[in-house]
Amino acid sequence: MRVLGIETSCDETGIALFDESEGLIKDLLYSQIDLHRDYGGVVPELASRDHIRKCLPMIDQALRESKTTPSQISAIAYTEGPGLIGALLVGASIAKSLALAWNIPAIGIHHMEGHLMSTQLTSDPPKYPFVALLVSGGHTQLMACEAPGAYEILGESVDDAAGEAFDKVAKMLGLGYPGGPAVAKLATQGRPNQYQFPRPLTKKPGLNFSFSGLKTHTMNTLRKLPHCSNQDRADVALAFEEAVVETIQIKCARALEKTGYSTLVLAGGVSANARLRKALDLLSQERHVNINYPELRFCTDNGAMIAIAGFLRKAQWSNCDHTIVARPRWPMNELGGINP
Ligand code: KG4
Ligand code: ZN
């Protein structure tokens, strides 16, 4: 049984093939970074047009290189949402059209469930129940995951997502797009304790996040520096990164306490951040809990996470029709269980 995965929610075209017995047999990724770089962020119309250019040739390549014929594919999984509407529609239209032609189901996957399922692509996947921290460019959320598909949102960002804050701070620091890795790299040159940045919402109870004030604080700090040297910028990058990381660490500790679960799972683009991984590793050691995060290549958007999520939702394949559905907004707690 093989599943073709198609990811087109933002600025990466991801195509993958997941095989029930062999695991991930193909994983192709095309990043549009060069296309959007001059604009300092993703231009939605350019993203959609590029997905149109890349999607079918990449599917063709994946089938060819893995010696897979359409008759060997049991289902297609595509990102139904959340994401950019035009970009999502490209993936949805291609998935549903191929499904019609090949007479197989095409199942729409929630992008954040895809990120969560990227942790299943290892030989030692996390065991339910666990607390999941999903941190990407569009989302920051803590979830109690009782079983596949049974998720309770414990807390989420009330404004900017962590990745979005990284991207905006990168712009302030004159760094390129995407900002997260660039800020992290600059922060390695920073000197600790040069600035005291707030840890938003950590003094109040609760598990929500707010990164917008931290962003403003960064901007004000930079404005107050008369001659901002490279060392100053690195110090600010470090202060910002440490503030985000410590805030997340505090909230993860609270979520583990609240649920009583003994496993913490980390996924999404920001889970590639080395300082965050180190801080959560430390937390897991102190609290004697297990920690699990995806391989670096599966942290940011990819087709493999969508393919495996589609495979894990096979109980729903028989309910799929040919309607082309894309949901730019799709609260994760509206997702049904995996084995209803
Ligand atoms: O999951 P993802 O690829 O796309 C979304 O679903 O949004 O996440 C992209 C986000 C961007 O905001 C990017 O700056 C951030 O993840 N990111 C990082 C790192 N690598 C990617 N943020 C901090 N440190 C990193 N190493
Ligand atoms: Zn993502």
Side-chain angles (χ1 to χ4, degrees), residues 110-265:
H110 192 291
H111 181 78
M112 297 313 287
E113 181 173 73
H115 275 302
L116 183 63
M117 293 310 178
S118 66
T119 56
Q120 302 287 320
L121 287 163
T122 65
S123 51
D124 185 22
K127 293 184 184 54
Y128 291 87
F130 53 72
V131 168
L133 168 75
L134 299 185
V135 265
S136 69
H139 291 79
T140 302
Q141 55 192 41
L142 272 166
M143 298 193 311
C145 303
E146 228 183 282
Y151 314 127
E152 184 199 344
I153 296 185
L154 302 170
E156 58 194 333
S157 179
V158 296
D159 40 55
D160 291 8
E164 194 179 353
F166 265 102
D167 292 338
K168 288 178 180 165
V169 164
K171 258 192 193 172
M172 293 173 205
L173 291 165
L175 302 170
Y177 151 87
V183 172
K185 189 167 171 220
L186 182 62
T188 60
Q189 315 292 319
R191 295 166 300 179
N193 307 320
Q194 295 298 306
Y195 300 98
Q196 205 28 259
F197 275 37
R199 277 46 174 162
L201 297 189
T202 53
K203 296 217 169 78
K204 289 186 191 159
L207 292 165
N208 281 344
F209 299 90
S210 166
F211 292 113
S212 163
L214 199 51
K215 197 182 61 188
T216 312
H217 187 91
T218 309
M219 170 116 69
N220 291 339
T221 306
L222 286 168
R223 277 199 186 133
K224 278 185 212 146
L225 290 168
H227 309 289
C228 191
S229 67
N230 282 343
Q231 186 60 60
D232 290 333
R233 288 166 59 250
D235 294 343
V236 170
L238 176 61
F240 166 78
E241 189 181 39
E242 279 183 333
V244 172
V245 166
E246 201 184 320
T247 303
I248 290 177
Q249 189 190 29
I250 293 168
K251 300 280 173 168
C252 285
R254 271 188 208 169
L256 287 165
E257 218 159 274
K258 184 179 165 140
T259 56
Y261 294 168
S262 56
T263 301
L264 176 64
V265 169

Side-chain angles (χ1 to χ4, degrees), residues 14 18 27 34 45 64 95 105 123 140 224 258 287 309 327:
F18 182 84
D27 182 27
D34 289 341
E45 184 59 24
R64 224 176 333 108
S123 51
T140 302
K224 278 185 212 146
K258 184 179 165 140
R287 299 199 161 237
R327 300 200 220 190

